[in-house]
Amino acid sequence: MLDVARRFRPLPELERFIDLLAAHGLNVLQLHLTDDQGWRFESRRYPQLTEVGGRRSASQLGHGPNAGLDGRHHAGHYTQDELRALVAYAAARGIRLVPEIDVPGHAKAILAAYPEFGVGDPAEVAARNREPWTRFGITDEVLNAEAATVAFVGDVLEEVVDVFGGDLVGIGGDEAVKSRWEADPRTHELLAERGLANGHELQAWFLRALADRLGRRGVRILGWDEMLEGAAPAADAVVASWRGPVGAGLAARLGHDVILCPDLWTYLDYRQSDAPEEPIPVGTVLSLEDVASFDPVPADAPAWFSDRVIGVQANVWTEHLDTRERLDYAVFPRLGAFAEVAWNGRPAAGFESRLPGYLDWLDARGVDYRPLAGPRPDQQRPGVPGVPRSREARLAELARLTATLPAE
Ligand code: ACM
């Protein structure tokens, strides 16, 4: 998965990225097309999504409380014709593009364009969302749950299906904070009308309405494991489990197809060592060796689990990857180890012995990978703060976050 919402990447760069994925034997690229910070998909019915939602005046520089703004305008989107051509380009190389439109959270770019889809008075929503978010993190801003809002998202998803074809569309579902719904009298009316108990059930209702609409076109939804809070939105939904093993186990027990992308092994934006030279260090340490040690479905896993796992996925979030070179630095050579895990379904044993040849291969293609010894001076970001985290702290947070998933 590549996040082109935080950082728009021009089409020739996406084509190059697809060429590199194909050379690694990878066969799916999920395009994360929308987020708080930007909307990149041309909707002909809702042109403000890109006109307003596709541009921001600045971007956060670094992470954490001491991060400032870079003061640089950022804009871009893909037309439907461009995306159709990209789908064909990828297909010719054996790669399926899976689009993702992230709702009901991660929606500030939508609300900047169409504040009537937010919670509360549209004038206040507009005042809070004059443009897509220039900051990074999790916001409490969500779409409202009116029928008209669900219909709007459904209309956009119809356009997405027309462009991308295929039988799978990502609808997000991650990190949607429920506090605005819970504080809003109108949302309480909707809960009562629909016989729903709380925000988790409302999110399930919202996503189920989208799943039903896409289902009429023979398309299944793909969503992050938060999708299972409340109730599973659709029996055939595909669940991408990113917050440790809990969501994956629950999804498999409920009979869903599961994609494994646990952040501690597959988040390629996470820092590659604990050296202070790592550029804008975020997340836990995820070294090349750590990726190579990823064991997605251990040999002793029960069949009810292993039978449901349809693949693994590496996620490339781009808050701090603002150029092609920085993207290369984060992705390579870790993607080489990940690709071996993906092909074989087990850790990439002996990957070090194949590394010299692999690095030569990357060199020959002009890939600006991270040298094994650490970042070159031009790959560092001196003075730009990050938020490094320990594995223990992240494990404790994951336990807390996944505690809201139903037990069965
Ligand atoms: C995610 O990392 N928010 C799926």
Side-chain angles (χ1 to χ4, degrees):
M1 186 225 72
L2 179 63
D3 169 10
V4 290
R6 271 56 174 263
R7 304 288 177 177
F8 173 76
R9 301 258 47 96
L11 272 177
E13 287 189 26
L14 286 193
E15 291 174 354
R16 169 184 177 273
F17 198 70
I18 287 168
D19 290 344
L20 287 165
L21 297 188
H24 285 73
L26 298 172
N27 60 354
V28 181
L29 172 59
Q30 180 179 338
L31 276 184
H32 183 77
L33 287 162
T34 75
D35 214 300
D36 295 302
Q37 293 80 9
W39 180 284
R40 309 294 171 214
F41 172 81
E42 177 201 17
S43 164
R44 294 184 181 163
R45 285 192 72 159
Y46 299 97
Q48 297 292 98
L49 287 171
T50 47
E51 282 299 311
V52 174
R55 49 185 91 238
R56 61 177 187 262
S57 62
S59 307
Q60 184 172 314
L61 181 61
H63 216 78
N66 298 324
L69 288 174
D70 68 1
R72 290 163 58 187
H73 191 80
H74 184 79
H77 71 272
Y78 309 105
T79 68
Q80 295 196 1
D81 290 343
E82 287 172 335
L83 289 169
R84 277 200 179 84
L86 193 70
V87 169
Y89 184 95
R93 287 153 184 82
I95 293 189
R96 184 157 63 113
L97 294 189
V98 173
E100 184 192 358
I101 301 295
D102 202 344
V103 292
H106 288 285
K108 281 174 77 73
I110 300 176
L111 299 179
Y114 296 100
E116 62 268 37
F117 298 131
V119 178
D121 176 2
E124 287 173 24
V125 177
R128 294 196 302 267
N129 296 279
R130 295 262 176 241
E131 61 172 330
W133 209 16
T134 56
R135 292 273 163 192
F136 301 131
I138 298 176
T139 137
D140 64 0
E141 208 70 69
V142 288
L143 299 181
N144 68 44
E146 301 288 349
T149 303
V150 177
F152 149 74
V153 179
D155 289 345
V156 172
L157 290 174
E158 298 266 1
E159 290 189 83
V160 169
V161 171
D162 289 342
V163 169
F164 282 86
D167 60 1
L168 191 64
V169 169
I171 45 74
D174 59 320
E175 297 176 326
V177 176
K178 313 294 183 312
S179 52
R180 283 194 185 273
W181 282 349
E182 280 157 12
D184 176 51
R186 171 63 188 152
T187 304
H188 279 271
E189 282 176 21
L190 292 173
L191 286 173
E193 270 172 32
R194 295 169 187 163
L196 303 170
N198 55 39
H200 292 318
E201 291 188 10
L202 185 58
Q203 167 162 300
W205 178 93
F206 193 108
L207 299 179
R208 186 176 311 121
L210 299 177
D212 287 348
R213 184 149 173 193
L214 288 170
R216 292 199 279 279
R217 308 240 345 224
V219 174
R220 297 197 288 168
I221 59 167
L222 160 72
W224 305 101
D225 60 80
E226 289 94 327
M227 187 171 67
L228 299 175
E229 288 165 344
D236 64 354
V238 180
V239 176
S241 171
W242 69 284
R243 304 178 303 164
V246 180
L250 174 63
R253 276 201 301 281
L254 294 172
H256 294 277
D257 285 346
V258 180
I259 296 168
L260 300 175
C261 50
D263 67 332
L264 294 174
W265 283 275
T266 69
Y267 269 40
L268 299 186
D269 56 324
Y270 283 13
R271 61 202 170 107
Q272 307 199 44
S273 78
D274 57 13
E277 293 77 27
E278 289 299 341
I280 315 182
V282 295
T284 56
V285 172
L286 180 60
S287 68
L288 179 61
E289 294 73 26
D290 292 331
V291 176
S293 74
F294 177 35
D295 193 4
V297 184
D300 60 356
W304 62 260
F305 181 72
S306 54
D307 288 353
R308 305 286 1 160
V309 174
I310 61 168
V312 293
Q313 173 169 304
N315 292 328
V316 186
W317 302 105
T318 56
E319 285 93 334
H320 308 299
L321 309 176
D322 56 349
T323 64
R324 201 267 290 155
E325 289 78 6
R326 295 199 190 286
L327 192 65
D328 276 7
Y329 178 89
V331 173
F332 303 100
R334 290 188 290 186
L335 197 72
F338 173 80
E340 287 201 12
V341 172
W343 302 329
N344 299 321
R346 58 172 184 271
F351 185 73
E352 325 73 70
S353 66
R354 298 182 286 286
L355 251 179
Y358 177 53
L359 297 182
D360 287 348
W361 184 91
L362 292 174
D363 275 326
R365 279 156 189 78
V367 176
D368 284 300
Y369 61 86
R370 178 188 184 276
L372 298 182
R376 298 188 310 259
D378 64 293
Q379 293 172 321
Q380 300 174 21
R381 304 291 298 259
V384 183
V387 178
R389 311 193 61 196
S390 73
R391 207 172 170 86
E392 293 66 35
R394 180 59 178 159
L395 283 170
E397 184 178 52
L398 288 175
R400 183 174 57 74
L401 289 173
T402 54
T404 58
L405 287 172
E408 189 71 25

